[in-house]
Amino acid sequence: MLHAIRATGYVADPVARRLAARHNRILGVFTYEPVFPTGTGDFYHPFLVGIEESAERLGCDLLLLTSAPVTDGRRRIFHDDNRLRLADGCVLLGRSLDRDELGRLVAEGHPFVSVGRRDDAGGPVPYVGVDYPTATATVVRRALDAGHTSLAYLGQGAGPESHADRLAGYRAALDAAGLPARHEPTADRSPADLLDTLLSAGVTAAVVEEYADGVAIASLARERGLAVPGDLSILALGDPTRPAASDIEFTGFRIPRREMGWQAVEVLTALLADVPGTVTQRLLPCQPVDGATLAPPDPRP
């Protein structure tokens, strides 16, 4: 019996059975990052773990599309030696996905799912993303409940949808509280410049888009004899996307990266199997982190 199961590739999952009957059960994985994220410390590694575990459960093999050329620091999925058709469908990884390529994938009917929410690109884009507006608003309300009334958002707040969604949640929470939503873009600015700006404006709580920026500002503040969170609370909106060695446990939230990868495969295989009622755009909640970088503001002037 076991030999027959191995020989026929039988799997119990109904979606997997439909895939086995109509497809090769090969799922592509493509990243727009310059280097394929294989290191365990890489921000994208948990996504890959979830993708692999979900594919294994469904009896699918993974094809890592690593031969795509890097142009202007980014990979391109469409090129002269494009191997996208070798897979039944593809999971896309990357902070920013090329808008033209997304539009072409949608227009040409390539089965794919993005890890991360994406705006429409000539049509709806299937994705498994994070509810950043709600997660960020929750973090901001924690600062408000602690007594903070002078906050600042440090980050771009534009470009990738994940940045825009965070800033939208920050603004929504402060608008609801009747407070100004101060925003300090971080591009081409040093930690010293940012910290000086915060202190001169009387900001008591900084909400950082990038974990590494929080590490840099906290380290500089402590070098200057300031207490974090006593003199300045710092709240981080997610996990480190670039190296940031620190023992600081920031108050904020964690991104369900492994679950996002897992569900991306679920959505893709459901699309391939034409499962009725498949929800092709999912937003997952974040995990709150109590941390140690939020305290009531110092009442001293």
Side-chain angles (χ1 to χ4, degrees), residues 157-182:
E161 289 86 347
S162 58
H163 288 178
D165 288 351
R166 286 173 168 95
L167 182 57
Y170 167 80
R171 285 175 169 163
L174 288 178
D175 287 348
L179 294 172
R182 186 183 186 94

Side-chain angles (χ1 to χ4, degrees), residues 65-79:
L65 301 171
T66 57
S67 65
V70 177
T71 305
D72 297 329
R74 303 191 64 212
R75 294 182 182 274
R76 293 289 181 263
I77 197 168
F78 291 107
H79 54 93

Side-chain angles (χ1 to χ4, degrees), residues 1-10 25:
M1 178 64 175
L2 290 176
H3 175 75
I5 288 175
R6 293 192 193 100
T8 59
Y10 174 83
R25 287 188 293 169

Side-chain angles (χ1 to χ4, degrees), residues 182-297:
R182 186 183 186 94
H183 174 206
E184 293 290 340
T186 53
D188 301 321
R189 296 179 67 182
S190 67
D193 177 29
L194 290 168
L195 181 58
D196 289 342
T197 300
L198 297 179
L199 296 178
S200 64
V203 171
T204 60
V207 180
V208 295
E209 187 177 85
E210 288 285 352
Y211 185 99
D213 290 337
V215 171
I217 292 170
S219 298
L220 181 59
R222 288 172 173 174
E223 287 177 10
R224 293 185 180 183
L226 299 174
V228 176
D231 295 309
L232 178 66
S233 290
I234 300 177
L235 304 102
L237 304 179
D239 305 281
T241 60
R242 59 181 191 264
S246 175
D247 59 356
I248 301 173
E249 180 72 8
F250 284 107
T251 301
F253 59 75
R254 290 196 176 92
I255 302 166
R257 292 175 287 173
R258 188 169 178 170
E259 182 65 20
M260 290 169 70
W262 180 286
Q263 291 201 29
V265 170
E266 285 188 338
V267 173
L268 179 59
T269 52
L271 287 172
L272 291 169
D274 292 326
V275 176
T278 298
V279 178
T280 60
Q281 294 183 332
R282 302 181 183 180
L283 289 177
L284 308 184
C286 290
Q287 176 187 352
V289 176
D290 290 336
T293 56
L294 173 62

Side-chain angles (χ1 to χ4, degrees), residues 78-208:
F78 291 107
H79 54 93
D80 292 340
D81 193 24
N82 173 26
R83 300 176 184 179
L84 188 62
R85 292 292 188 184
L86 292 177
D88 298 324
C90 192
V91 177
L92 304 183
L93 281 170
R95 182 180 304 182
S96 296
L97 271 57
D98 186 274
R99 297 290 303 166
D100 292 337
E101 293 200 333
L102 274 181
R104 183 173 171 182
L105 287 168
V106 171
E108 296 182 2
H110 293 280
F112 76 97
V113 175
S114 165
V115 176
R117 188 190 74 78
R118 308 297 169 188
D119 294 329
D120 286 359
V125 174
Y127 62 73
V128 176
V130 171
D131 189 357
Y132 284 119
T134 297
T136 302
T138 300
V139 168
V140 172
R141 284 193 293 269
R142 290 186 62 184
L144 297 176
D145 291 343
H148 292 276
T149 57
S150 181
L151 292 81
Y153 182 98
L154 305 186
Q156 294 310 104
E161 289 86 347
S162 58
H163 288 178
D165 288 351
R166 286 173 168 95
L167 182 57
Y170 167 80
R171 285 175 169 163
L174 288 178
D175 287 348
L179 294 172
R182 186 183 186 94
H183 174 206
E184 293 290 340
T186 53
D188 301 321
R189 296 179 67 182
S190 67
D193 177 29
L194 290 168
L195 181 58
D196 289 342
T197 300
L198 297 179
L199 296 178
S200 64
V203 171
T204 60
V207 180
V208 295

